[in-house]
Amino acid sequence: MANSFSSSAAAAGGKRPASAAAVKPPKKVITKDDATEAKNMRGIMRPLPVSEALSKFPGGGPEISRAGAIKIVWAYIKGQGLQNPANKREILCDEKLKNLFAGRDKIGMMEITGLLNPHFIKTK
């Protein structure tokens, strides 16, 4: 009786045939640079087409990532000294920033991302 049990277990799929194991596709070799580039091209790091106002902004271009746009806007704000000295969370807009931020004279630092969203053109 023990022989019939062990033979039925082997027949039920105890081992795969050699031909099924040899069907695996070859692995693609991924370098560290490829992995870093793929990681940088996801989410907010992926360049997107932007509006004319954002592309003409200093440091802008026809395609900018969301993180890159925030970075150039902050660099401009700090370079021009546009933060309110009494309240550092408030930005006093000049003409270039007014073009980006719908003509507003003052914005809060937490509003920058929301005000930049309309400048990214949806591709899908």
Side-chain angles (χ1 to χ4, degrees), residues 50 53-64 72:
V50 295
L54 186 54
S55 67
K56 288 183 178 179
F57 195 77
E63 288 189 346
I64 306 172
I72 63 170

Side-chain angles (χ1 to χ4, degrees), residues 77-105:
I77 290 169
K78 290 190 179 237
Q80 298 293 320
L82 297 174
Q83 281 183 292
N84 185 352
N87 181 4
K88 296 284 186 179
R89 299 182 74 173
E90 188 176 68
I91 290 112
L92 307 171
C93 297
D94 64 355
E95 288 304 314
K96 290 181 183 179
L97 287 177
K98 284 182 183 180
N99 288 337
L100 285 182
F101 300 139
R104 294 178 57 179
D105 292 327

Side-chain angles (χ1 to χ4, degrees), residues 16-98:
R16 290 189 292 179
S19 62
V23 179
K24 292 182 182 178
K27 290 186 177 181
K28 182 180 175 186
V29 178
I30 299 174
T31 65
K32 188 174 181 179
D33 292 336
D34 292 341
T36 303
E37 184 177 333
K39 186 177 180 181
N40 288 340
M41 297 305 283
R42 292 185 285 164
I44 65 170
M45 297 303 291
R46 184 179 66 234
L48 298 170
V50 295
S51 68
E52 187 176 337
L54 186 54
S55 67
K56 288 183 178 179
F57 195 77
E63 288 189 346
I64 306 172
S65 67
R66 291 180 188 273
I70 293 169
K71 187 175 180 177
I72 63 170
V73 168
W74 267 110
Y76 181 79
I77 290 169
K78 290 190 179 237
Q80 298 293 320
L82 297 174
Q83 281 183 292
N84 185 352
N87 181 4
K88 296 284 186 179
R89 299 182 74 173
E90 188 176 68
I91 290 112
L92 307 171
C93 297
D94 64 355
E95 288 304 314
K96 290 181 183 179
L97 287 177
K98 284 182 183 180

Side-chain angles (χ1 to χ4, degrees), residues 3-15:
N3 288 341
S4 66
F5 180 73
S6 62
S7 64
S8 65
K15 289 188 175 184

